[in-house]
Amino acid sequence: MTATPLPLAQSSQDAQGGACCAPIARQPLSEGDAAELAVLLKAAADPVRLRLLSMIGSHAGGEACVCDLTDAFDLTAPTISHHLKVLRTAGLIDGERRGTWVYYRIIPEAVNKLGALFTPLSEPVSA
Amino acid sequence: MTATPLPLAQSSQDAQGGACCAPIARQPLSEGDAAELAVLLKAAADPVRLRLLSMIGSHAGGEACVCDLTDAFDLTAPTISHHLKVLRTAGLIDGERRGTWVYYRIIPEAVNKLGALFTPLSEPVSA
DNA sequence: CTATGATTTAGATGAACATCGAACCAATAG
DNA sequence: CTATTGGTTCGATGTTCATCTAAATCATAG
């Protein structure tokens, strides 16, 4: 970050819950949007976190207890907890303690942002 | 990589050009699929590379010359070249030299894999 | 041959990251 | 209150990464 003094860089038609930006092949991403999306992607770009994400998202009721997640990996509990925190900090999941256990669920809006980003244009700009 | 000797881990219904896996909330990702997708995501999870990707994909004709890309960043040529190589190695873009200049274009199949991964289920599993 | 566009290599540096063990907090069960 | 079990936080460690400078390489055009 060399303190680039760009004046505009409006964050597309973001409404804090919708798709942040146009599909990647529609128009160049602004510097700000790219930074914002990179945070989301960096959180998802790990094999363990990807599996955690899909285990949580595909679990019955849309949520999963940490106790269900830990056993599927050859990692210590602190490491799993760390990965969950990365996902939570990025805004991809949300956690809630209910009694003894902590349950996590996916935040669909965040996943939608990524889905919309990589959605190909239906019309391939001729050729 | 501690040489995990997993025996099965079949790569879903991948056909080397289609969507690798089911959406993230449909079923748990296999260890192999997660690793494969993490490579793709890690390549995309950088502000500079995201912008490169969208600049290439949204450029007229579906391809962009490196000379068009370099000026948009405050980075040296080797650094841009490095980022392009990361994207190319991951299979997200493909480059071709025509005369003096090198042109890059997006590989749609790779982008589609990510799009399909983050596509939400149409039916939100009740609630 | 020379100049331009682009990639590569090598080395260096500072930041970010994945992982672990140990300590710590929260809630339930005796 | 005192275990015990479930999770998180806290350092520490070794690795990966982005970026630069500098130089070398390669391809093409003139």
Side-chain angles (χ1 to χ4, degrees):
Chain A
M1 324 238 172
T2 35
T4 318
L6 69 162
L8 23 97
Q10 212 147 0
S11 212
S12 303
Q13 74 285 11
D14 190 5
Q16 197 65 6
C20 149
C21 314
I24 209 156
R26 179 110 65 201
Q27 59 180 316
L29 280 171
S30 80
E31 209 168 328
D33 286 346
E36 179 190 337
L37 289 166
V39 169
L40 231 50
L41 282 169
K42 227 146 71 146
D46 180 275
V48 173
R49 292 198 287 267
L50 226 34
R51 287 179 63 204
L52 283 172
L53 221 42
S54 76
M55 288 172 75
I56 294 170
S58 66
H59 204 268
E63 61 182 15
C65 165
V66 176
C67 57
D68 295 326
L69 305 171
T70 308
D71 298 337
F73 299 88
D74 242 2
L75 300 170
T76 62
T79 299
I80 297 292
S81 209
H82 159 72
H83 284 300
L84 288 171
K85 184 176 192 173
V86 171
L87 290 172
R88 186 156 32 95
T89 302
L92 280 165
I93 62 174
D94 190 22
E96 178 195 359
R97 162 164 243 132
R98 278 208 303 278
T100 306
W101 295 286
V102 176
Y103 296 87
Y104 282 97
R105 80 175 66 77
I106 281 189
I107 299 181
E109 290 80 14
V111 174
N112 290 351
K113 279 190 193 179
L114 299 181
L117 184 68
F118 294 116
T119 293
L121 306 186
S122 12
E123 308 179 3
V125 197
S126 72
Chain B
M1 326 244 170
T2 34
T4 318
L6 68 163
L8 25 97
Q10 212 146 2
S11 213
S12 303
Q13 74 283 13
D14 190 6
Q16 196 66 6
C20 150
C21 314
I24 210 158
R26 180 109 68 200
Q27 60 180 315
L29 280 171
S30 79
E31 208 168 329
D33 286 348
E36 180 189 338
L37 289 166
V39 169
L40 230 50
L41 282 170
K42 226 147 71 144
D46 179 275
V48 173
R49 292 197 287 269
L50 267 183
R51 287 179 63 206
L52 283 173
L53 221 43
S54 76
M55 287 172 75
I56 293 170
S58 66
H59 205 268
E63 62 183 13
C65 165
V66 176
C67 57
D68 294 328
L69 306 172
T70 309
D71 298 337
F73 299 90
D74 242 3
L75 301 171
T76 64
T79 299
I80 297 293
S81 213
H82 158 72
H83 283 301
L84 288 171
K85 184 176 191 172
V86 170
L87 290 172
R88 186 158 29 97
T89 301
L92 280 166
I93 62 175
D94 190 21
E96 178 196 359
R97 161 165 245 132
R98 278 207 304 280
T100 304
W101 295 284
V102 176
Y103 295 87
Y104 281 97
R105 81 174 66 77
I106 281 189
I107 299 181
E109 290 79 13
V111 175
N112 290 350
K113 279 189 192 177
L114 299 181
L117 184 67
F118 294 116
T119 293
L121 305 186
S122 15
E123 309 179 3
V125 196
S126 70

Coordinates of all heavy atoms in Angstrom, one line a residue, chain B residues 23-92:
Chain B
P23 N -22.2 -27.2 -4.9 CA -22.1 -26.0 -4.1 C -21.7 -26.2 -2.7 O -22.0 -27.3 -2.2 CB -23.6 -25.4 -4.2 CG -24.1 -26.0 -5.5 CD -23.4 -27.3 -5.7
I24 N -21.1 -25.2 -2.1 CA -20.5 -25.4 -0.8 C -21.5 -25.8 0.3 O -21.1 -26.4 1.3 CB -19.8 -24.1 -0.4 CG1 -18.6 -24.4 0.4 CG2 -20.7 -23.1 0.2 CD1 -17.6 -23.3 0.5
A25 N -22.7 -25.5 0.1 CA -23.7 -25.8 1.1 C -24.5 -27.1 0.8 O -25.5 -27.4 1.4 CB -24.7 -24.6 1.3
R26 N -24.1 -27.8 -0.3 CA -24.9 -29.0 -0.6 C -24.4 -30.2 0.1 O -25.1 -31.0 0.6 CB -24.8 -29.2 -2.1 CG -25.6 -30.4 -2.6 CD -26.8 -30.1 -3.4 NE -26.5 -29.4 -4.6 CZ -27.3 -28.7 -5.3 NH1 -28.5 -28.5 -4.9 NH2 -26.9 -28.2 -6.5
Q27 N -23.1 -30.4 0.0 CA -22.5 -31.5 0.7 C -21.0 -31.2 1.1 O -20.4 -30.4 0.4 CB -22.6 -32.8 -0.2 CG -21.8 -32.6 -1.5 CD -21.9 -33.8 -2.4 OE1 -21.7 -34.9 -1.9 NE2 -22.2 -33.6 -3.7
P28 N -20.5 -31.9 2.1 CA -19.2 -31.7 2.5 C -18.2 -31.9 1.4 O -18.3 -32.9 0.7 CB -19.0 -32.7 3.7 CG -20.3 -33.0 4.2 CD -21.2 -32.9 3.0
L29 N -17.2 -31.0 1.2 CA -16.2 -31.2 0.2 C -15.3 -32.3 0.6 O -14.9 -32.5 1.8 CB -15.4 -29.9 0.1 CG -16.0 -28.8 -0.8 CD1 -15.2 -27.5 -0.6 CD2 -16.0 -29.2 -2.2
S30 N -14.8 -33.1 -0.3 CA -13.8 -34.1 0.0 C -12.5 -33.4 0.2 O -12.3 -32.3 -0.2 CB -13.7 -35.1 -1.2 OG -12.9 -34.5 -2.2
E31 N -11.6 -34.1 0.8 CA -10.3 -33.5 1.1 C -9.6 -33.1 -0.2 O -9.0 -32.1 -0.3 CB -9.4 -34.5 1.9 CG -8.4 -33.9 2.8 CD -7.8 -34.9 3.7 OE1 -8.5 -35.9 4.1 OE2 -6.6 -34.8 4.1
G32 N -9.7 -34.0 -1.2 CA -9.1 -33.7 -2.5 C -9.7 -32.5 -3.2 O -8.9 -31.7 -3.7
D33 N -11.0 -32.5 -3.2 CA -11.7 -31.4 -3.9 C -11.3 -30.0 -3.2 O -11.1 -29.0 -3.9 CB -13.2 -31.6 -3.9 CG -13.6 -32.6 -4.9 OD1 -12.7 -33.0 -5.7 OD2 -14.7 -33.1 -4.9
A34 N -11.3 -30.1 -1.9 CA -11.0 -28.9 -1.1 C -9.6 -28.4 -1.5 O -9.4 -27.2 -1.6 CB -11.1 -29.1 0.4
A35 N -8.7 -29.3 -1.6 CA -7.3 -28.9 -1.9 C -7.2 -28.3 -3.3 O -6.5 -27.3 -3.5 CB -6.4 -30.1 -1.8
E36 N -7.9 -28.9 -4.2 CA -7.9 -28.5 -5.6 C -8.5 -27.1 -5.7 O -8.0 -26.2 -6.4 CB -8.7 -29.4 -6.5 CG -8.7 -29.0 -7.9 CD -9.7 -29.9 -8.7 OE1 -10.0 -31.1 -8.2 OE2 -10.2 -29.5 -9.7
L37 N -9.6 -26.9 -5.0 CA -10.3 -25.6 -5.1 C -9.5 -24.5 -4.3 O -9.5 -23.3 -4.7 CB -11.7 -25.7 -4.5 CG -12.7 -26.5 -5.3 CD1 -13.9 -26.9 -4.5 CD2 -13.1 -25.7 -6.6
A38 N -8.8 -24.9 -3.3 CA -8.0 -23.9 -2.5 C -6.9 -23.4 -3.4 O -6.6 -22.2 -3.3 CB -7.4 -24.6 -1.3
V39 N -6.3 -24.2 -4.3 CA -5.3 -23.7 -5.2 C -5.9 -22.6 -6.1 O -5.3 -21.5 -6.2 CB -4.8 -24.8 -6.1 CG1 -3.9 -24.3 -7.2 CG2 -4.0 -25.8 -5.2
L40 N -7.0 -22.8 -6.6 CA -7.7 -21.9 -7.5 C -8.0 -20.6 -6.7 O -7.8 -19.5 -7.1 CB -9.0 -22.5 -8.0 CG -9.3 -22.4 -9.5 CD1 -8.1 -22.9 -10.3 CD2 -10.5 -23.2 -9.8
L41 N -8.6 -20.8 -5.5 CA -9.0 -19.6 -4.7 C -7.8 -18.8 -4.2 O -7.8 -17.6 -4.2 CB -9.8 -20.1 -3.5 CG -11.2 -20.5 -3.8 CD1 -11.9 -21.2 -2.6 CD2 -12.0 -19.2 -4.2
K42 N -6.7 -19.5 -3.9 CA -5.5 -18.8 -3.4 C -5.0 -17.9 -4.5 O -4.5 -16.8 -4.2 CB -4.5 -19.8 -2.9 CG -3.9 -19.4 -1.5 CD -3.5 -20.6 -0.7 CE -2.3 -21.4 -1.1 NZ -1.5 -21.8 0.0
A43 N -5.0 -18.4 -5.7 CA -4.6 -17.6 -6.8 C -5.4 -16.4 -7.0 O -4.9 -15.3 -7.3 CB -4.5 -18.4 -8.1
A44 N -6.7 -16.5 -6.7 CA -7.6 -15.4 -6.9 C -7.7 -14.4 -5.7 O -8.1 -13.3 -5.8 CB -9.0 -15.9 -7.2
A45 N -7.2 -14.9 -4.6 CA -7.4 -14.2 -3.3 C -6.3 -13.1 -3.1 O -5.6 -13.1 -2.1 CB -7.5 -15.1 -2.2
D46 N -6.2 -12.2 -4.0 CA -5.2 -11.1 -3.9 C -5.8 -9.9 -4.7 O -6.3 -10.1 -5.8 CB -3.9 -11.5 -4.5 CG -2.9 -10.4 -4.4 OD1 -2.9 -9.6 -5.3 OD2 -2.1 -10.4 -3.4
P47 N -5.8 -8.8 -4.1 CA -6.4 -7.6 -4.7 C -5.8 -7.3 -6.1 O -6.6 -7.0 -7.0 CB -6.0 -6.5 -3.7 CG -5.8 -7.1 -2.4 CD -5.2 -8.4 -2.7
V48 N -4.6 -7.4 -6.2 CA -4.0 -7.2 -7.5 C -4.4 -8.2 -8.5 O -4.8 -7.9 -9.7 CB -2.4 -7.2 -7.4 CG1 -1.8 -7.1 -8.8 CG2 -1.9 -6.1 -6.5
R49 N -4.4 -9.5 -8.2 CA -4.7 -10.5 -9.1 C -6.2 -10.5 -9.4 O -6.7 -10.8 -10.5 CB -4.3 -11.9 -8.5 CG -2.8 -12.1 -8.5 CD -2.5 -13.5 -8.3 NE -2.7 -14.1 -7.0 CZ -1.8 -14.1 -6.0 NH1 -0.6 -13.5 -6.2 NH2 -2.1 -14.6 -4.9
L50 N -7.1 -10.1 -8.5 CA -8.5 -9.9 -8.7 C -8.7 -8.9 -9.8 O -9.5 -9.0 -10.7 CB -9.2 -9.6 -7.4 CG -9.8 -10.7 -6.6 CD1 -10.6 -10.1 -5.4 CD2 -10.7 -11.6 -7.5
R51 N -8.0 -7.8 -9.6 CA -8.2 -6.7 -10.6 C -7.6 -7.1 -12.0 O -8.2 -6.8 -13.0 CB -7.5 -5.4 -10.1 CG -8.2 -4.8 -9.0 CD -7.5 -3.5 -8.5 NE -7.4 -2.5 -9.5 CZ -6.4 -1.6 -9.5 NH1 -5.5 -1.6 -8.6 NH2 -6.4 -0.7 -10.5
L52 N -6.5 -7.8 -12.0 CA -6.0 -8.3 -13.2 C -7.0 -9.2 -13.9 O -7.3 -9.0 -15.1 CB -4.7 -9.1 -13.0 CG -3.4 -8.3 -12.7 CD1 -2.3 -9.2 -12.3 CD2 -3.0 -7.5 -13.9
L53 N -7.6 -10.1 -13.1 CA -8.5 -11.0 -13.6 C -9.7 -10.3 -14.3 O -10.2 -10.6 -15.4 CB -9.0 -11.9 -12.5 CG -9.2 -13.4 -12.7 CD1 -8.1 -14.0 -13.5 CD2 -9.3 -14.1 -11.3
S54 N -10.2 -9.3 -13.6 CA -11.4 -8.6 -14.1 C -11.0 -7.6 -15.2 O -11.9 -7.4 -16.1 CB -12.1 -7.8 -12.9 OG -11.4 -6.6 -12.6
M55 N -9.8 -7.1 -15.2 CA -9.4 -6.3 -16.3 C -9.3 -7.1 -17.6 O -9.6 -6.7 -18.7 CB -8.1 -5.6 -16.0 CG -8.2 -4.5 -15.0 SD -6.6 -3.9 -14.5 CE -6.1 -2.9 -15.9
I56 N -8.7 -8.3 -17.4 CA -8.6 -9.2 -18.6 C -10.0 -9.7 -19.1 O -10.3 -9.6 -20.3 CB -7.7 -10.5 -18.2 CG1 -6.3 -10.0 -17.9 CG2 -7.8 -11.5 -19.3 CD1 -5.4 -11.1 -17.3
G57 N -10.8 -10.1 -18.1 CA -12.1 -10.7 -18.5 C -13.0 -9.7 -19.1 O -13.9 -10.0 -19.9
S58 N -12.9 -8.4 -18.7 CA -13.9 -7.4 -19.1 C -13.3 -6.6 -20.3 O -14.0 -5.8 -20.9 CB -14.2 -6.5 -18.0 OG -13.1 -5.7 -17.6
H59 N -12.1 -6.9 -20.7 CA -11.6 -6.2 -21.9 C -12.2 -6.6 -23.2 O -12.7 -7.7 -23.3 CB -10.1 -6.5 -21.9 CG -9.3 -5.4 -22.6 ND1 -9.0 -5.4 -23.9 CD2 -8.7 -4.3 -22.1 CE1 -8.3 -4.3 -24.3 NE2 -8.1 -3.6 -23.2
A60 N -12.2 -5.7 -24.1 CA -12.9 -6.0 -25.4 C -12.2 -7.2 -26.0 O -11.0 -7.3 -26.1 CB -12.7 -4.8 -26.3
G61 N -13.1 -8.1 -26.6 CA -12.5 -9.3 -27.2 C -12.2 -10.4 -26.2 O -11.8 -11.5 -26.6
G62 N -12.4 -10.1 -24.9 CA -12.1 -11.2 -23.9 C -10.6 -11.3 -23.6 O -10.3 -12.3 -22.9
E63 N -9.8 -10.5 -24.2 CA -8.4 -10.6 -23.9 C -7.8 -9.2 -23.7 O -8.3 -8.2 -24.2 CB -7.7 -11.4 -24.9 CG -7.7 -10.8 -26.3 CD -7.1 -11.6 -27.4 OE1 -6.8 -12.8 -27.1 OE2 -6.8 -11.1 -28.5
A64 N -6.6 -9.2 -23.0 CA -6.0 -8.0 -22.7 C -4.5 -8.1 -22.9 O -3.9 -9.2 -22.5 CB -6.3 -7.4 -21.3
C65 N -3.8 -7.1 -23.4 CA -2.4 -7.1 -23.5 C -1.8 -6.7 -22.2 O -2.3 -5.9 -21.5 CB -2.0 -6.1 -24.6 SG -0.2 -5.7 -24.6
V66 N -0.6 -7.2 -21.9 CA 0.1 -6.9 -20.6 C 0.3 -5.4 -20.6 O 0.3 -4.8 -19.5 CB 1.4 -7.7 -20.5 CG1 2.1 -7.3 -19.3 CG2 1.1 -9.2 -20.5
C67 N 0.6 -4.8 -21.7 CA 0.9 -3.4 -21.7 C -0.3 -2.6 -21.2 O -0.2 -1.5 -20.7 CB 1.2 -3.0 -23.2 SG 0.0 -3.4 -24.4
D68 N -1.5 -3.1 -21.4 CA -2.7 -2.4 -20.9 C -2.9 -2.6 -19.4 O -3.5 -1.8 -18.7 CB -4.0 -3.0 -21.6 CG -4.0 -2.7 -23.1 OD1 -3.5 -1.7 -23.5 OD2 -4.5 -3.6 -23.8
L69 N -2.3 -3.7 -18.9 CA -2.5 -4.0 -17.5 C -1.5 -3.2 -16.6 O -1.9 -2.7 -15.5 CB -2.4 -5.5 -17.2 CG -3.3 -6.4 -18.1 CD1 -2.9 -7.8 -18.0 CD2 -4.7 -6.1 -17.8
T70 N -0.3 -3.2 -17.0 CA 0.8 -2.7 -16.1 C 0.5 -1.3 -15.6 O 0.7 -1.0 -14.4 CB 2.1 -2.7 -16.9 OG1 2.3 -4.0 -17.4 CG2 3.3 -2.4 -16.0
D71 N 0.0 -0.4 -16.5 CA -0.1 1.0 -16.1 C -1.2 1.2 -15.0 O -1.1 2.3 -14.4 CB -0.5 1.8 -17.4 CG 0.6 1.7 -18.4 OD1 1.7 1.4 -18.1 OD2 0.3 1.9 -19.6
A72 N -2.1 0.3 -14.9 CA -3.1 0.5 -13.9 C -2.6 0.3 -12.4 O -3.4 0.5 -11.5 CB -4.3 -0.4 -14.2
F73 N -1.4 -0.2 -12.3 CA -0.9 -0.5 -11.0 C 0.3 0.3 -10.7 O 1.0 0.7 -11.5 CB -0.6 -2.0 -10.9 CG -1.8 -2.9 -11.1 CD1 -2.1 -3.3 -12.3 CD2 -2.6 -3.3 -10.0 CE1 -3.2 -4.1 -12.5 CE2 -3.7 -4.1 -10.2 CZ -4.0 -4.5 -11.5
D74 N 0.6 0.4 -9.4 CA 1.8 1.1 -8.9 C 2.9 0.0 -8.6 O 3.6 0.1 -7.7 CB 1.5 1.9 -7.6 CG 1.7 3.3 -7.8 OD1 2.1 3.7 -9.0 OD2 1.6 4.1 -6.9
L75 N 3.0 -0.9 -9.5 CA 3.9 -2.0 -9.3 C 4.9 -2.2 -10.4 O 4.6 -1.7 -11.5 CB 3.1 -3.4 -9.1 CG 2.1 -3.4 -8.0 CD1 1.2 -4.6 -8.1 CD2 2.8 -3.3 -6.6
T76 N 6.0 -2.8 -10.1 CA 7.0 -2.9 -11.2 C 6.6 -4.1 -12.1 O 5.8 -4.9 -11.8 CB 8.4 -3.3 -10.6 OG1 8.2 -4.6 -9.9 CG2 8.8 -2.3 -9.6
A77 N 7.2 -4.1 -13.3 CA 6.9 -5.1 -14.3 C 7.1 -6.5 -13.8 O 6.3 -7.4 -14.0 CB 7.7 -4.8 -15.6
P78 N 8.2 -6.8 -13.2 CA 8.4 -8.1 -12.6 C 7.3 -8.6 -11.7 O 6.9 -9.7 -11.7 CB 9.7 -8.1 -11.9 CG 10.5 -7.0 -12.6 CD 9.4 -6.0 -13.0
T79 N 6.8 -7.6 -10.9 CA 5.7 -8.0 -10.0 C 4.4 -8.3 -10.7 O 3.8 -9.3 -10.4 CB 5.5 -6.8 -9.0 OG1 6.7 -6.6 -8.2 CG2 4.4 -7.2 -8.0
I80 N 4.1 -7.5 -11.7 CA 2.9 -7.9 -12.5 C 3.1 -9.2 -13.2 O 2.2 -10.0 -13.2 CB 2.7 -6.8 -13.5 CG1 2.4 -5.4 -12.9 CG2 1.5 -7.1 -14.5 CD1 1.1 -5.4 -12.1
S81 N 4.3 -9.4 -13.7 CA 4.5 -10.6 -14.4 C 4.4 -11.8 -13.4 O 3.9 -12.9 -13.8 CB 6.0 -10.6 -15.0 OG 6.0 -11.3 -16.2
H82 N 4.8 -11.6 -12.2 CA 4.7 -12.6 -11.2 C 3.3 -13.0 -10.9 O 2.9 -14.2 -10.9 CB 5.4 -12.2 -9.9 CG 4.9 -12.9 -8.7 ND1 5.3 -14.2 -8.4 CD2 4.1 -12.5 -7.7 CE1 4.7 -14.5 -7.3 NE2 4.0 -13.5 -6.8
H83 N 2.4 -12.0 -10.8 CA 1.0 -12.2 -10.5 C 0.3 -12.9 -11.7 O -0.5 -13.8 -11.5 CB 0.3 -10.9 -10.2 CG 0.6 -10.4 -8.8 ND1 0.3 -11.1 -7.7 CD2 1.2 -9.2 -8.4 CE1 0.6 -10.4 -6.6 NE2 1.2 -9.2 -7.0
L84 N 0.7 -12.5 -12.9 CA 0.1 -13.2 -14.0 C 0.5 -14.6 -14.1 O -0.2 -15.5 -14.4 CB 0.6 -12.5 -15.3 CG 0.0 -11.1 -15.6 CD1 0.6 -10.4 -16.7 CD2 -1.5 -11.2 -15.8
K85 N 1.8 -14.9 -13.7 CA 2.2 -16.3 -13.7 C 1.5 -17.1 -12.6 O 1.1 -18.3 -12.9 CB 3.7 -16.3 -13.4 CG 4.3 -17.7 -13.4 CD 5.8 -17.8 -13.2 CE 6.4 -19.1 -13.6 NZ 7.8 -19.1 -13.5
V86 N 1.2 -16.5 -11.5 CA 0.4 -17.2 -10.5 C -1.0 -17.6 -11.0 O -1.4 -18.7 -10.8 CB 0.3 -16.3 -9.2 CG1 -0.7 -16.9 -8.2 CG2 1.6 -16.2 -8.5
L87 N -1.6 -16.6 -11.7 CA -2.9 -16.9 -12.3 C -2.8 -17.9 -13.3 O -3.7 -18.8 -13.5 CB -3.5 -15.6 -12.8 CG -3.9 -14.5 -11.8 CD1 -4.3 -13.2 -12.5 CD2 -5.1 -15.0 -11.0
R88 N -1.8 -17.9 -14.1 CA -1.6 -18.8 -15.2 C -1.3 -20.2 -14.7 O -1.9 -21.2 -15.1 CB -0.5 -18.4 -16.1 CG -0.3 -19.2 -17.4 CD 0.4 -18.4 -18.5 NE 1.4 -17.4 -17.9 CZ 2.7 -17.6 -17.7 NH1 3.2 -18.8 -18.1 NH2 3.4 -16.7 -17.2
T89 N -0.5 -20.3 -13.7 CA -0.1 -21.6 -13.1 C -1.4 -22.3 -12.5 O -1.5 -23.5 -12.5 CB 1.0 -21.4 -12.0 OG1 2.1 -20.9 -12.6 CG2 1.4 -22.7 -11.4
A90 N -2.2 -21.4 -11.9 CA -3.4 -22.0 -11.3 C -4.4 -22.4 -12.3 O -5.4 -23.1 -12.0 CB -4.0 -20.9 -10.3
G91 N -4.2 -22.0 -13.5 CA -5.2 -22.3 -14.6 C -6.3 -21.4 -14.7 O -7.4 -21.7 -15.3
L92 N -6.2 -20.2 -14.2 CA -7.3 -19.2 -14.3 C -7.2 -18.4 -15.6 O -8.2 -17.9 -16.1 CB -7.3 -18.3 -13.1 CG -7.9 -18.8 -11.8 CD1 -7.5 -18.0 -10.6 CD2 -9.4 -18.9 -12.0

